[in-house]
Amino acid sequence: MNMRTLLLASAVAVGFSLPASAETLNILMEGVPDTEFVKQVVPEFEAKTGHKVNLEVVNYAEMHTKLVPQLVAPKGSYSVIVVDFYWVGEFTKAGWLQPLDERIAKDKVDTSVYVPALMDLVGKVDGVTYMLPFYNYAMGLTYRTDLLADAKNQADFKAKYGMDLGVPKTWDEYLKQVEFFTRDGMHGVVNQGLRPDPIAMEWSNYLFANGAEYHDADWNPTFNNEAGVKAVEQYATAINKYGPVGSASFSFDEAFNVMAQGQAYSYITYNFFRTAYDDPAKSAVVGKVEIMPVPGPTPETGGSLNGAWGWAIPKSSPNSDAAWEFIKWIESPEIAKKRALLGGSPTRTDVFDDAEVNAKYPYAQALKQMLLTSHNFPVFTYTPQLVEVLGRELSLAVAGEKTPKEALDAIQTEFVELAKKDGKLK
């Protein structure tokens, strides 16, 4: 009796059957919390299907370098990949990803449950579905609830500004709070001013909060205007006047630590940090920090930047059918909910609305609202290059080496060149 026969006999004995052809799935992932939650549920998939899953986890800086040689090869080593929104334009234009629409239709996978903005960001490109959203890292405003609830703070704020102190409803109200709480060794805000990515992503919230966008439907730039200038001025003031010394060079870890150690009233950051504020090993403000959408110019609008990764099957996948089996399973309602209960960042509205998820994470609805009112960063072939330009010019403006208008003029010039090069702008 050979090994295959023995395995089949063992499988029948315990009440399930192995697939006709078990596969090994190699998946490259970034070392982030949601990857850890995938690791925890993968054994269920292996037991159910007989497939073996190898997760190769690396830091973000390594991923693109590792992926590209495999994507251009006729047959690569990765069965499934996760795609950051930065790379969506490049990967789809190069033809490196398999369209998923036929598989979705055949297996009746309901994609309407995904937050629409996420499908726009890491789902569909020009009407073709290439990915299923994996996890989101939208940015929100984290703020100190205990400082807002303090009676003396409320009285002092009312006396100074003629308005009640509470959860900010508009961007202007929030900026008043930042000014107010910068006193007695406390900073009104801490920023992640490091170039290029941290500052580019964080400043985008300031742009949206002022009612502006990066471009219109025809890719004409719409950020180099009065609202854009105000956004740069406000960002520079936040760092130079209301934040801790050195925050112009902070990445998100350094900025989070300032907030988590109780040294700042607020921090605009990625939603996955919300859970960390309640971890006593990482935070001195357990139970004192909440998250909300970044306020917009009116109470009805939001200023949060969207962010997400999507599951995709490369055209070079050595076993695309098994790869789809995995994606379909990992994004199923049951497993998506299980990952959310572990602490993951959902992309499906049904998971956000699940009673068990809301009972464990009372801020789930705030996270959902962040996504529903969020704004997408420009997604095209040259998204990474645009981030570099933003990081450079915004840093110069923060340092006072350029005026906000000079920085925006330079950004617009290069944005137009990149959009034309990509065929987005005629």
Side-chain angles (χ1 to χ4, degrees), residues 372-393:
L372 293 176
T373 60
S374 64
H375 304 251
N376 285 351
F377 194 81
V379 176
F380 65 136
T381 303
Y382 301 107
T383 295
Q385 287 85 342
L386 176 60
V387 172
E388 292 286 341
V389 173
L390 281 164
R392 181 190 72 227
E393 296 300 322

Side-chain angles (χ1 to χ4, degrees), residues 55-75:
L55 295 182
E56 181 183 353
V57 181
V58 299
N59 64 46
Y60 184 84
E62 295 179 72
M63 289 194 69
H64 191 273
T65 303
K66 277 183 166 287
L67 280 172
V68 172
Q70 300 299 322
L71 295 175
V72 300
K75 186 175 181 179

Side-chain angles (χ1 to χ4, degrees), residues 41-56:
V41 298
V42 154
E44 294 182 40
F45 175 77
E46 293 177 325
K48 179 178 181 180
T49 65
H51 297 315
K52 171 67 177 174
V53 177
N54 290 327
L55 295 182
E56 181 183 353

Side-chain angles (χ1 to χ4, degrees), residues 142-150 153-154 165 167 181 259 265 274 285-291:
T142 59
Y143 62 95
R144 289 278 298 276
T145 56
D146 59 324
L147 297 182
L148 292 181
D150 182 83
N153 286 340
Q154 292 177 351
L165 178 63
V167 176
F181 281 116
M259 182 72 179
Y265 159 66
R274 171 59 187 82
V285 288
V286 173
K288 298 177 181 179
V289 175
E290 201 43 89
I291 192 167

Side-chain angles (χ1 to χ4, degrees), residues 229-421:
V229 170
K230 283 176 63 177
V232 178
E233 291 173 344
Q234 292 163 357
Y235 190 81
T237 300
I239 287 183
N240 296 323
K241 187 175 181 180
Y242 301 129
V245 173
S247 53
S249 61
F250 283 0
S251 188
F252 49 79
D253 284 331
E254 292 91 345
F256 168 78
N257 287 336
V258 170
M259 182 72 179
Q261 295 310 309
Q263 298 168 14
Y265 159 66
S266 65
Y267 171 35
I268 293 174
T269 189
Y270 303 104
N271 57 12
F272 54 75
F273 277 118
R274 171 59 187 82
T275 305
Y277 285 121
D278 285 339
D279 181 351
K282 301 175 181 177
S283 173
V285 288
V286 173
K288 298 177 181 179
V289 175
E290 201 43 89
I291 192 167
M292 62 176 287
V294 174
T298 69
E300 295 74 34
T301 55
S304 287
L305 171 70
N306 202 4
W309 290 72
W311 296 106
I313 304 174
K315 280 195 174 175
S316 62
S317 172
N319 42 11
S320 56
D321 288 343
W324 171 246
E325 196 174 348
F326 175 80
I327 292 176
K328 186 173 59 173
W329 178 84
I330 200 73
E331 283 300 319
S332 65
E334 176 190 5
I335 302 304
K337 173 183 172 179
K338 187 169 291 189
R339 285 165 33 213
L341 287 171
L342 288 170
S345 301
T347 56
R348 300 171 55 112
T349 54
D350 55 345
V351 174
F352 277 114
D353 292 337
D354 182 84
E356 194 175 354
V357 171
N358 279 267
K360 186 170 183 179
Y361 302 108
Y363 49 84
Q365 288 304 302
L367 297 178
K368 176 186 175 184
Q369 189 61 26
M370 278 168 50
L371 290 175
L372 293 176
T373 60
S374 64
H375 304 251
N376 285 351
F377 194 81
V379 176
F380 65 136
T381 303
Y382 301 107
T383 295
Q385 287 85 342
L386 176 60
V387 172
E388 292 286 341
V389 173
L390 281 164
R392 181 190 72 227
E393 296 300 322
L394 292 171
S395 292
L396 291 172
V398 168
E401 296 179 34
K402 282 191 174 182
T403 67
K405 188 65 171 67
E406 288 170 342
L408 291 177
D409 285 345
I411 296 168
Q412 176 168 309
T413 297
E414 297 197 49
F415 175 86
V416 168
E417 290 175 357
L418 292 170
K420 286 183 176 179
K421 185 177 178 181

